[in-house]
Amino acid sequence: MSFSSDVKTELSAVQNAACCETQFSRAMLLFGRSCSRVSLSFLTEHPDAARRYADAVAHFSGTTPEITESESGNCKIQIEDRLVTDAVLAELERNRNEKKQLSIGKIDRECCRHAFLRGAFLSAGTVTNPDVEYHLEFSCPSAHLARDLIDLLSLCGVDAKSTARGGATIVYLKKSDAIAELLTAMGATENAMLFMGAKIFKDVRNTVNRRVNFDKANIARSAAAAGRQLRAIKSLRANGRFDELPAELRELAALRLENPESPTSELVELLGGTLTVSGVNHRFERIIRAAEFTELPDKKKEEGKA
Ligand SMILES: [Zn+2]
């Protein structure tokens, strides 16, 4: 079962308070597949959501519609009985905007707003598994209902955006906090906790990965630097120039030869803390320059001296 389906199972089981029943039912009908006096229809892969839609129709019309199976194996409700559609639409048309379109209208109580969002989600919502990405959306039947929904979400403290896709207006959330907030508000508290748990796990894993990558990069840098230092020291020895180095450089070079893999910070400790890391690095730079000079052809050396 998908995360979205688990959320719908949890939301379908929430019992509405008496004051919330009407708003929940309005939302299920408004955000269904079609909602007009010609037909009311609903299509879902979720049997519990289909039952709640049938209850919503019954809430306004007194008639419980039949749930059938669509060709694709989903649950389908199709109502063309004018007695039923007229009864439902008479209720829904109580809330219309200035253009006479069906609208969400004003919902006074917070519990009823949350019930409305629960109904809208059961009809038109999906949420992606948080292990994959943070995405919750409502596929709205019209642009003006999408605007109403964004306003309602905003009233509940949840910021949403909208976009057009395939004839529908999609209202979506991308922020994990907002998704968790909405799941909780709608009544999917168990799945909201699973969602937050998945997010925390992902955040911790990312932090650990960043840390490990950072450490790996540091080790690689430090190994590359030690390699350059060892090559310079060995080159000076091979050319018989090692003993010409000042005593402090010879001391450091000897320490590096004894500790070929130690990071500079360890060499600082072995030197008794008399130098800083950058002081040690500076001495290594002098050794490397001396080796480079030794390796130059004699002609270039003369030019260098001049
Ligand atoms: Zn209520």
Side-chain angles (χ1 to χ4, degrees):
M1 273 294 178
S2 67
F3 182 67
S4 202
S5 176
D6 290 345
V7 168
K8 287 194 177 179
T9 300
E10 192 180 2
L11 292 181
S12 296
V14 175
Q15 292 303 312
N16 292 313
C19 65
C20 300
E21 191 66 43
T22 294
Q23 296 300 351
F24 173 82
S25 302
R26 286 181 63 231
M28 284 221 74
L29 293 158
L30 279 173
F31 285 83
R33 192 157 168 246
S34 73
C35 180
S36 73
R37 285 181 188 265
V38 178
S39 82
L40 290 166
S41 74
F42 189 65
L43 192 66
T44 179
E45 54 184 14
H46 209 288
D48 294 342
R51 275 192 288 277
R52 294 305 296 260
Y53 184 91
D55 291 346
V57 174
H59 180 72
F60 292 130
S61 69
T63 304
T64 306
E66 194 190 353
I67 303 170
T68 58
E69 194 178 323
S70 77
E71 282 171 18
S72 52
N74 288 321
C75 301
K76 186 178 167 187
I77 295 173
Q78 179 78 29
I79 305 156
E80 280 156 19
D81 179 342
R82 275 306 281 263
L83 282 177
V84 178
T85 60
D86 281 350
V88 169
L89 266 293
E91 280 296 328
L92 298 180
E93 282 166 358
R94 289 168 189 263
N95 288 287
R96 286 198 276 188
N97 62 18
E98 64 283 358
K99 290 183 184 164
K100 302 274 178 223
Q101 297 159 314
L102 293 177
S103 78
I104 294 179
K106 192 164 167 286
I107 305 174
D108 291 326
R109 300 175 73 142
E110 189 182 55
C111 58
C112 300
R113 287 178 197 145
H114 291 172
F116 189 98
L117 293 172
R118 180 162 64 246
F121 187 86
L122 280 174
S123 269
T126 51
V127 56
T128 308
N129 185 328
D131 293 337
V132 180
E133 66 168 332
Y134 304 134
H135 184 93
L136 182 150
E137 70 174 43
F138 295 86
S139 175
C140 304
S142 68
H144 70 271
L145 277 176
R147 274 196 301 278
D148 283 1
L149 183 63
I150 289 176
D151 290 346
L152 179 63
L153 285 164
S154 162
L155 216 54
C156 297
V158 175
D159 277 333
K161 293 198 171 75
S162 70
T163 182
R165 190 201 300 148
T169 305
I170 309 296
V171 169
Y172 66 93
L173 315 181
K174 278 280 183 201
K175 294 207 173 112
S176 57
D177 291 352
I179 294 171
E181 173 102 30
L182 178 58
L183 290 175
T184 308
M186 293 190 300
T189 43
E190 262 178 43
N191 281 290
M193 277 196 282
L194 288 176
F195 182 91
M196 285 316 285
K199 177 184 154 49
I200 290 164
F201 179 77
K202 208 151 101 174
D203 288 353
V204 168
R205 195 181 50 199
N206 286 343
T207 308
V208 169
N209 283 346
R210 262 200 303 278
R211 181 74 235 174
V212 167
N213 287 338
F214 180 75
D215 288 348
K216 271 191 201 159
N218 269 347
I219 291 167
R221 255 195 304 278
S222 142
R228 273 196 307 278
Q229 294 154 9
L230 286 164
R231 204 180 54 209
I233 296 163
K234 285 174 183 167
S235 158
L236 286 165
R237 281 178 140 190
N239 289 312
R241 312 302 291 262
F242 184 78
D243 293 336
E244 292 172 15
L245 290 175
E248 75 271 16
L249 298 190
R250 284 204 310 273
E251 184 196 12
L252 181 61
L255 202 59
R256 171 50 84 208
L257 288 170
E258 282 165 26
N259 305 280
E261 287 171 10
S262 299
T264 314
S265 56
E266 268 179 48
L267 299 184
V268 167
E269 275 177 41
L270 291 170
L271 286 165
T274 50
L275 284 173
T276 61
V277 168
S278 74
V280 169
N281 281 335
H282 181 69
R283 287 190 181 176
F284 273 129
E285 281 308 311
R286 285 168 62 202
I287 294 173
I288 290 166
R289 274 203 304 277
E292 283 168 354
F293 186 73
T294 309
E295 286 162 8
L296 285 176
D298 288 341
K299 193 162 168 262
K300 286 252 171 86
K301 271 184 221 172
E302 290 308 317
E303 286 168 13
K305 275 181 191 163

